[in-house]
Amino acid sequence: MGRRVRLRSVVAVGVLIAWAAGLAALAHAERTRSPRQKLAEVALRVAPGASFFAVEHAGVHVGFASSTIDTVPGGLQVTDYFVADVAERDTMRRIGAQSVVRFTRTLALRDFRLSFDTGERRQAVHGWTVGDSLLAFVVERPGRPADTTRISLGGPLLMPTLVPTVVALGDPPATGGRTTVSVFDPFTLTTRDLHVNVRAESTFVLLDSAAFDPDGGRWRGAHFERVKGWHIVAEDPSALDSWVDEAGRVIRVQTPSGFTLRRTAYELGFENWRSASARARSTAQRAAARTPANAPDPGDSNVVRLPQPLRDTVRLRVRGLDLSRLQLRGGYQSLSGDTLTAVREGAAALRPSFPLPPSEVTRRRFPHELRAESSIEVGHPAISALALRLKARDAQADVVARRIMQWVHDSLAQRSSDKLPSAAATLLAREGDANARAQLFAALTRAAGIPTRLVSGTFLDGGRLVYHAWAEVLLQRWVPVDPTLGQFPADAAHIRLLVGSVGMETEVTRLIARATVDILPPTRTVAPSASPASGTAPR
């Protein structure tokens, strides 16, 4: 009897060990799945279908968007469409974008075609992958020769519009979850890693069909559905902010330029907007007919005029924008209601700065601000050699950053460009616009060990706001530096809107066009103190 009990105990222990080993093996396999394997699993869950969206701005229905997933021979095709009317004084301007992207059956990118039309500028980009390691794309603009660029790839690549679907259909989404995917950014024409967080979970009531109301002359909702959704936000909020349901269909999207895309029935999204748009255009045409032909057109250029006087304080009242969506607070900028105040940094923000090379603690705290990117080639031999030469024997970050800024300002010829080149290409050409100069400055300072981030925003040029790009280096806190104007620190005329990218001229210009901005007289203001959001000096 005792022998049987012992035998059963041994068998039971053996079963438990086998079960635990199986769980461990399963957990290990789950942790070691490659990004390509994860995408292949997601591809099996993607269902064909179409979603339609009402495009709103400041609560007004101004456009229509759609997203369609179709099966094609050998894979999937995702087609996205966007159109909206933008009010500019007494006129209406229509902007639009369209993308057609094809993937293999395992969601590996095959090719894509993107087109943008802002009413003032048109551009098309046609790209394709070469094997698994190279992305090639051609930029086409009216009246200009096509421009081909090739980028090395380290893994599978997505378009930003498909990211919410991949997050929702991958591992079960849960608040606090985090995913990293590689994407091609259609605005900057670069590839980058997008770090996405699941911030919240909620339930939505959506309209999925409509009926025409002849008395009101518009379509109204006829049937509702309840869906569960998750808030998917990139760590760079200008890249992604959307809600997605458990089927991988986008519920709502918020753009940095103030547009909201809200999923609804086709008739509500398109037909109602088309009717409203026709009435608005008619009203705008009548107003334009009453405007003198020689009326001035302020802000018709995004070129900063030189030279520029330094401004210690700038105060603006901004209306017509959701200011909470923009990165206006922190460092030398503060926001109170609809009033933005910018103050030029003083000597206290610069010194004492930290010694170079940076410590291992600094590198761990600021990995994104020190790393190489596809267009910021920190490890390029020419970049590394120049950074070392400019650093010389100086050990303080502020001294080295100032010297690098001065070199970029003095050594590059001013040349406007529709394309955002890499830092290495700018160094080779020795010319570039504000975008190119900011990129080259960031590459050199990062190579020297100074945490640096790129900034897109506006510049107060006289009485007008124009697009501009510069950088911020971390000393005592994030300090703006403008290698185009040769300012260290940059003055209060620099209004930061977006952090983490340059080349957002179209997006920032749309923001300026939609906003009502009043320049207020300066008051006695002290520089904002460092805050957790603005960063503190590394140690």
Side-chain angles (χ1 to χ4, degrees):
M1 185 67 180
R3 183 177 300 173
R4 290 181 180 177
V5 172
R6 286 195 299 272
L7 181 59
R8 288 175 182 172
S9 299
V10 170
V11 172
V13 171
V15 170
L16 288 175
I17 292 174
W19 177 71
L23 287 180
L26 182 62
H28 177 73
E30 184 70 18
R31 290 194 304 269
T32 57
R33 283 185 306 162
S34 68
R36 196 175 302 281
Q37 290 172 321
K38 293 180 180 179
L39 282 181
E41 294 172 8
V42 169
L44 299 176
R45 306 185 187 105
V46 176
S51 298
F52 307 105
F53 303 87
V55 177
E56 300 174 346
H57 184 265
V60 179
H61 190 175
V62 297
F64 168 77
S66 66
S67 181
T68 306
I69 299 178
D70 294 312
T71 56
V72 295
L76 297 172
Q77 177 173 296
V78 181
T79 304
D80 293 303
Y81 177 77
F82 174 94
V83 62
D85 290 325
V86 179
E88 294 183 337
R89 292 175 297 164
D90 295 329
T91 64
M92 297 292 291
R93 177 163 60 95
R94 179 158 294 180
I95 61 176
Q98 185 173 15
S99 67
V100 179
V101 187
R102 294 194 300 170
F103 298 89
T104 67
R105 295 187 189 277
T106 58
L107 276 189
L109 178 65
R110 289 168 55 182
D111 55 66
F112 62 87
R113 186 166 188 86
L114 315 172
S115 60
F116 309 91
D117 187 351
T118 67
E120 299 175 346
R121 177 182 300 176
R122 286 177 294 165
Q123 179 171 296
V125 184
H126 174 217
W128 62 95
T129 55
V130 181
D132 296 329
S133 59
L134 188 67
L135 172 70
F137 59 88
V138 179
V139 180
E140 303 164 356
R141 308 177 189 87
R144 297 194 180 187
D147 186 8
T148 302
T149 302
R150 292 175 174 81
I151 299 175
S152 297
L153 301 179
L157 194 66
L158 290 174
M159 291 294 171
T161 55
L162 200 59
V163 171
T165 300
V166 170
V167 173
L169 297 181
D171 297 329
T175 303
R178 187 175 188 270
T179 304
T180 300
V181 293
S182 295
V183 299
F184 177 78
D185 189 331
F187 290 106
T188 62
L189 301 179
T190 59
T191 61
R192 59 170 168 164
D193 286 340
L194 200 62
H195 306 289
V196 182
N197 298 304
V198 181
R199 284 195 179 172
E201 176 184 326
S202 187
T203 300
F204 292 80
V205 178
L206 303 178
L207 286 162
D208 64 357
S209 64
F212 187 71
D213 177 10
D215 295 330
R218 57 187 287 115
W219 292 84
R220 301 191 181 279
H223 183 265
F224 299 83
E225 64 171 340
R226 296 177 65 88
V227 299
K228 181 187 292 186
W230 288 269
H231 193 192
I232 309 296
V233 183
E235 292 180 2
D236 174 5
S238 66
L240 177 69
D241 185 345
S242 67
W243 286 84
V244 61
D245 64 20
E246 49 198 345
R249 300 171 64 199
V250 170
I251 299 171
R252 191 171 69 198
V253 177
Q254 185 70 46
T255 73
S257 51
F259 287 117
T260 300
L261 279 65
R262 180 174 50 82
R263 196 169 92 200
T264 188
Y266 170 81
E267 295 84 359
L268 299 174
F270 180 73
E271 296 293 349
N272 284 352
W273 163 70
R274 184 174 64 171
S275 300
S277 176
R279 293 192 297 270
R281 284 182 175 275
S282 177
T283 301
Q285 289 170 359
R286 290 195 297 270
R290 298 192 296 268
T291 303
N294 60 350
D297 184 13
D300 59 352
S301 172
N302 281 335
V303 177
V304 176
R305 296 174 296 201
L306 300 176
Q308 288 289 334
L310 293 177
R311 294 175 182 257
D312 291 327
T313 305
V314 166
R315 295 176 66 238
L316 305 174
R317 179 176 291 121
V318 184
R319 297 186 297 273
L321 283 180
D322 182 1
L323 301 182
S324 65
R325 314 297 308 177
L326 302 173
Q327 291 160 305
L328 296 172
R329 292 183 174 88
Y332 66 104
Q333 294 184 182
S334 61
L335 184 66
S336 176
D338 61 357
T339 301
L340 174 69
T341 301
V343 180
R344 192 182 191 215
E345 294 282 17
L350 307 182
R351 305 201 75 174
S353 63
F354 63 96
L356 298 174
S359 67
E360 191 59 34
V361 173
T362 298
R363 293 189 177 278
R364 286 198 301 268
R365 287 179 61 191
F366 304 100
H368 301 298
E369 293 79 10
L370 287 168
R371 71 179 181 182
E373 300 178 31
S374 57
S375 56
I376 305 178
E377 306 97 324
V378 174
H380 190 282
I383 297 288
S384 300
L386 179 58
L388 183 63
R389 178 164 65 86
L390 293 174
K391 177 181 177 297
R393 296 184 179 181
D394 288 295
Q396 291 300 312
D398 64 307
V399 175
V400 176
R402 185 189 295 272
R403 183 178 296 134
I404 292 174
M405 180 280 299
Q406 198 65 52
W407 187 93
V408 174
H409 175 259
D410 294 342
S411 304
L412 268 64
Q414 180 66 31
R415 181 67 58 85
S416 299
S417 174
D418 289 335
K419 181 187 175 185
L420 188 63
S422 70
T426 299
L427 179 59
L428 179 65
R430 293 296 178 94
E431 63 181 23
D433 56 11
N435 293 323
R437 290 167 182 255
Q439 278 190 325
L440 178 56
F441 173 80
L444 291 169
T445 48
R446 289 183 185 184
I450 304 170
T452 307
R453 63 189 189 184
L454 299 172
V455 175
S456 290
T458 65
F459 182 81
L460 182 57
D461 183 0
R464 62 175 188 157
L465 288 174
V466 297
Y467 170 81
H468 197 41
W470 61 97
E472 293 181 349
V473 295
L474 191 65
L475 300 175
Q476 282 299 305
R477 52 179 173 259
W478 288 110
V479 175
V481 179
D482 188 343
T484 300
L485 299 181
Q487 295 182 6
F488 185 98
D491 73 347
H494 296 73
I495 307 301
R496 178 185 63 241
L497 298 181
L498 303 173
V499 173
S501 63
V502 295
M504 298 289 289
E505 182 173 345
T506 301
E507 284 293 302
V508 173
T509 302
R510 290 175 188 169
L511 288 171
I512 301 172
R514 290 184 179 85
T516 300
V517 179
D518 300 319
I519 302 173
L520 304 177
T523 59
R524 291 182 60 85
T525 311
V526 295
S529 60
S531 65
S534 63
T536 54
R539 301 296 180 194

